[in-house]
Amino acid sequence: MKIAVTSDGPDVEAKVAHKFGTARYLSIVDLDSNRIEVVLNPNALSQKGSGIHTIVLAISKEVKTVLTGYCNPSARHQLESNGIEVLSNLSGTVKEVIQQYREGKIQRDIKIAATVEERRSIISKYTLIQSLNSSFRQFIKMMPVLIGVMLLIGLFNEFMPEDLLASIFSGNVVLDTLWGTFMGSILAGNAINSYVIGQELLTRGVSLFAVTALIISWVTIGLVQLPAEMASLGKKFALLRNALSFVMAIPIAIVTGTILNIM
Amino acid sequence: MSIFPLAVLAIYGALLLLAPDKAFQALKNSGNILFNMLIPLILVFILLLASNLFLKPAHIKNFLGGKPRIKSFVLSSTAGIASMGPIYAWYPLLKDMRERGAGNFPVAVFLHSRAVKPFLLPVMISYFGWIYAVILSILTILSSLIIGYALHIFVKRETSLNSVLTVMPDESEQ
């Protein structure tokens, strides 16, 4: 079992940090192997959001208990929701606090400890409800556009001339694949929509090459999201990644289509 | 709500006035598509639930990192496949990861591997068959390796903060 002690320095003689969110270091102690990993908290000096990063750090290190000087109610709630018990009002050196914890000298709130323990179980009632809520929200969120796509396909089936698609997708493998990639690059949204559109195109005689190119480029290329990607990951990275994804969509589509045609 | 479904509804509204027979036929066509998707959609919900139960962003964050080695490739592509939601929701985390020292390779592999959607596999299989789904998934993951390498070579990292310090003191000190 791992515990985390917030500290001001990178060794066990350092003082326990006064505040959880702004602690410079987290000493992660594996109580079974007696090993200590001291992790620098890179967000300790951040003006905003340092607490969130420290919470993520603690969760990602899979600790079960946090020992600290003070932990604000919001951070405490987040940690406890993730099955991490918070023991606060502690002072002294990291070494002393670990020793006190081992000897059971740190006072615990039995009720909170029991709740946290319940949340640690693989599927607790709390986790199940949270996950059901979250899944339901995700599912409902994708439905309007999906239903919109289905309604639009219904319209296409009724109104689109049979020869329109044939004029765009001529049957030339390379050109059709290019068209498919181009369509997938400019369209955006949940990938499920690309499957529905792809299936419809297939039934209308468009080649599997073009449909596969559409499906693959739908997710890997994002012309709509390009400004956001450039802002977050750099202009060169975003442009090159999208360009390479465009290029790669063509061989992927051709290889996939060829294998399936052979089979 | 997105403007797209509202626009489609508006078209239907207009059509119901102008050509009600064709509009009803179009609705029937759409109903058939939805009916055929019901079982795959139920499976999608179950897989979404499983992902939410067992996968946390902190776990995915753990997967991202390192130089272009096999381990980094496996972890980054797994993280990409497991990640859900719109891509822009992941940009802040990826930006943060890069600022903390994650290379271009894992980030590019992560982004490309997102084309493999395990929770949508029921729909893909029901439409195109499982052989298609398997081949496309394998090729997508392999192509993410190529794109990751290319970006690792051609794009220099703008920031490289070695922010994680690991100290393993002598056990006798504890």
Side-chain angles (χ1 to χ4, degrees):
Chain A
M1 181 179 130
K2 286 182 182 175
I3 61 168
V5 187
T6 58
S7 64
D8 293 331
D11 56 70
V12 288
E13 297 300 336
K15 293 274 183 200
V16 172
H18 179 58
K19 285 185 181 171
F20 170 77
T22 53
R24 293 289 311 278
Y25 297 90
L26 282 188
S27 295
I28 315 292
V29 187
D30 188 328
L31 296 174
D32 303 317
S33 66
N34 280 336
R35 300 193 94 187
I36 297 184
E37 180 190 3
V38 182
V39 183
L40 177 66
N41 179 6
N43 302 288
L45 301 176
S46 302
Q47 291 293 313
K48 280 183 179 177
S50 60
I52 295 291
H53 288 285
T54 317
I55 291 166
V56 170
L57 193 59
I59 296 169
S60 68
K61 290 291 173 186
E62 295 175 344
V63 304
K64 301 294 180 205
T65 304
V66 164
L67 307 176
T68 188
Y70 169 76
C71 183
N72 71 49
S74 166
R76 182 183 287 272
H77 173 73
Q78 287 295 329
L79 288 165
E80 289 175 352
S81 299
N82 282 282
I84 299 173
E85 185 181 10
V86 180
L87 300 176
S88 54
N89 292 326
L90 302 173
S91 56
T93 66
V94 171
K95 195 176 172 180
E96 287 165 356
V97 167
I98 294 170
Q99 194 60 31
Q100 287 169 21
Y101 181 79
R102 280 181 184 282
E103 291 168 4
K105 289 181 178 170
I106 298 174
Q107 203 178 355
R108 298 170 73 190
D109 185 321
I110 307 286
K111 224 173 171 180
I112 291 174
T115 311
V116 170
E117 190 61 44
E118 199 261 330
R119 283 174 190 174
R120 272 182 204 159
S121 63
I122 298 174
I123 305 176
S124 66
K125 206 164 98 183
Y126 176 83
T127 318
L128 187 63
I129 291 167
Q130 290 272 77
S131 300
L132 270 170
N133 273 337
S134 179
S135 307
F136 191 69
R137 276 202 309 272
Q138 286 169 290
F139 196 77
I140 291 299
K141 205 174 170 184
M142 79 179 186
M143 287 316 282
V145 175
L146 182 60
I147 289 171
V149 167
M150 290 176 190
L151 288 170
L152 200 58
I153 289 173
L155 281 177
F156 279 156
N157 282 339
E158 203 52 35
F159 289 95
M160 197 165 70
E162 289 287 334
D163 54 352
L164 182 67
L165 273 177
S167 65
I168 300 169
F169 295 97
S170 58
N172 180 309
V173 171
V174 178
L175 273 180
D176 283 5
T177 309
L178 266 173
W179 269 117
T181 312
F182 184 71
M183 275 177 71
S185 306
I186 50 173
L187 295 170
N190 195 302
I192 198 168
N193 301 318
S194 71
Y195 303 168
V196 178
I197 293 170
Q199 162 70 7
E200 185 55 30
L201 289 174
L202 271 182
T203 57
R204 285 179 160 260
V206 174
S207 72
L208 189 61
F209 301 107
V211 168
T212 307
L214 173 108
I215 289 172
I216 197 81
S217 56
W218 185 289
V219 182
T220 58
I221 307 164
L223 290 185
V224 178
Q225 302 100 322
L226 194 59
E229 186 174 343
M230 286 197 290
S232 298
L233 303 172
K235 197 174 170 184
K236 195 175 176 186
F237 179 95
L239 289 174
L240 189 59
R241 193 196 68 76
N242 279 278
L244 285 170
S245 298
F246 190 97
V247 172
M248 285 305 297
I250 297 164
I252 291 174
I254 292 175
V255 173
T256 308
T258 307
I259 293 173
L260 278 159
N261 284 341
I262 292 169
M263 293 174 85
Chain B
M1 190 195 264
S2 161
I3 195 164
F4 168 71
L6 293 176
V8 176
L9 285 177
I11 294 171
Y12 267 90
L15 278 173
L16 280 169
L17 296 174
L18 299 171
D21 290 350
K22 288 216 162 205
F24 278 118
Q25 188 55 44
L27 268 176
K28 204 178 155 192
N29 294 340
S30 308
N32 286 338
I33 298 170
L34 180 63
F35 182 74
N36 290 331
M37 267 190 91
L38 281 180
I39 292 174
L41 280 176
I42 291 167
L43 288 172
V44 166
F45 182 80
I46 293 169
L47 288 172
L48 266 176
L49 179 64
S51 306
N52 284 320
L53 272 173
F54 301 113
L55 277 172
K56 303 282 180 231
H59 295 147
I60 290 172
K61 191 177 171 183
N62 258 1
F63 285 167
L64 279 170
K67 290 175 183 170
R69 295 193 182 116
I70 293 173
K71 190 183 168 193
S72 169
F73 169 63
V74 172
L75 293 179
S76 309
S77 53
T78 307
I81 293 166
S83 68
M84 290 189 297
I87 182 59
Y88 46 81
W90 289 93
Y91 287 148
L93 178 70
L94 294 174
K95 185 184 179 195
D96 185 52
M97 293 300 298
R98 280 187 15 135
E99 284 170 355
R100 288 162 187 244
N104 289 323
F105 177 81
V107 174
V109 170
F110 174 89
L111 287 172
H112 201 80
S113 302
R114 281 176 46 84
V116 180
K117 304 276 183 196
F119 65 96
L120 292 182
L121 273 178
V123 180
M124 185 182 256
I125 292 169
S126 76
Y127 276 178
F128 308 106
W130 67 269
I131 298 174
Y132 178 88
V134 169
I135 294 170
L136 190 60
S137 302
I138 292 171
L139 289 176
T140 304
I141 293 166
L142 289 179
S143 64
S144 76
L145 181 67
I146 297 168
I147 290 173
Y149 257 115
L151 283 157
H152 173 72
I153 293 165
F154 294 118
V155 183
K156 281 187 180 175
R157 266 224 331 265
E158 283 137 18
T159 46
S160 177
L161 296 174
N162 187 16
S163 58
V164 177
L165 168 74
T166 303
V167 183
M168 293 288 184
D170 186 354
E171 287 181 16
S172 61
E173 286 180 18
Q174 293 164 37

